[in-house]
Amino acid sequence: TYVFDEKAVSWSHLSIWTPSEVSKAFSCCERALPMRHRDINFLNLPWTMSLIFQFAKSLLSEKIRSRFKTHSSLESLQRSVNPSILPAEYGGTKSIKECVKSWKIELEQNRSSLLELDQLKIDNSPVGEQLALVRKKSRHDSGSGSQVLGMMGNMRKHELQVEQ
């Protein structure tokens, strides 16, 4: 679950992104990050950003698009996101400082596993290439963002191996 408070976003923040960059950023988030996005919440979205947000959402698959929610108030956010996981500043029980501390502890507990991720390599064997050829086409395969980070396809479908 993600919560983005956009109350400080202005037109100058938005004007640095071209439509192509927006498409590539969304493609990267949707297809190249090896994680599942369950609930993506935007709070206090300015009306100018709301217009761009609607355009950007149209670039996503229906599955991911349905996970995006916008909220104009804390009450709306709290109806969608369990307040027990929100910081106190957003109606939860812990301060942001406590949330950060908790996150640091969790990262430290999983330090070795996280560092092992740096050793992963993509297997470019012919089998992997064959899989890329039969992979279902998506809206991002048009050439405008189909090769995010120089890799084709969905990271969850690539074969990864740890370098010894």
Side-chain angles (χ1 to χ4, degrees):
T1 299
Y2 307 102
V3 176
F4 299 98
D5 188 349
E6 303 295 332
K7 68 181 171 199
V9 173
S10 68
W11 183 250
S12 61
H13 292 108
L14 303 176
S15 64
I16 62 173
W17 292 77
T18 66
S20 174
E21 289 168 334
V22 170
S23 174
K24 287 177 184 178
F26 271 72
S27 177
C28 182
C29 291
E30 181 179 20
R31 300 170 48 88
L33 291 178
M35 64 178 68
R36 305 231 183 250
H37 311 289
R38 296 193 197 286
D39 197 23
I40 306 156
N41 298 274
F42 288 88
L43 178 64
N44 302 316
L45 202 61
W47 73 270
T48 52
M49 188 169 172
S50 183
L51 298 172
I52 294 169
F53 179 74
Q54 292 306 317
F55 160 74
K57 263 179 63 172
S58 72
L59 301 172
L60 298 170
S61 69
E62 178 58 36
K63 182 178 177 181
I64 296 294
R65 194 176 326 139
S66 69
R67 295 176 182 181
F68 276 87
K69 299 175 184 94
T70 58
H71 308 280
S72 58
S73 68
L74 280 177
E75 294 77 23
S76 173
L77 175 67
Q78 292 165 355
R79 284 192 299 271
S80 181
V81 178
N82 185 342
S84 69
I85 67 168
L86 292 172
E89 295 82 351
Y90 293 93
T93 56
K94 294 181 178 178
S95 70
I96 289 179
K97 194 174 200 174
E98 289 173 299
C99 292
V100 169
K101 182 179 178 183
S102 173
W103 180 236
K104 284 181 179 179
I105 290 169
E106 187 171 339
L107 290 173
E108 281 298 326
Q109 290 172 345
N110 295 291
R111 180 176 170 71
S112 60
S113 297
L114 292 169
L115 289 173
E116 286 176 5
L117 295 174
D118 288 337
Q119 304 305 312
L120 294 176
K121 301 289 180 197
I122 295 175
D123 179 4
N124 287 324
S125 67
V127 173
E129 290 173 18
Q130 280 181 333
L131 290 175
L133 292 176
V134 297
R135 184 178 55 81
K136 182 181 174 189
K137 288 250 188 204
S138 80
R139 70 177 74 234
H140 299 293
D141 290 339
S142 65
S144 62
S146 61
Q147 283 196 317
V148 177
L149 305 176
M151 297 176 284
M152 185 68 161
N154 185 323
M155 281 300 292
R156 288 188 291 264
K157 293 182 184 178
H158 281 289
E159 295 293 321
L160 300 173
Q161 63 188 30
V162 177
E163 204 172 69
Q164 301 294 334

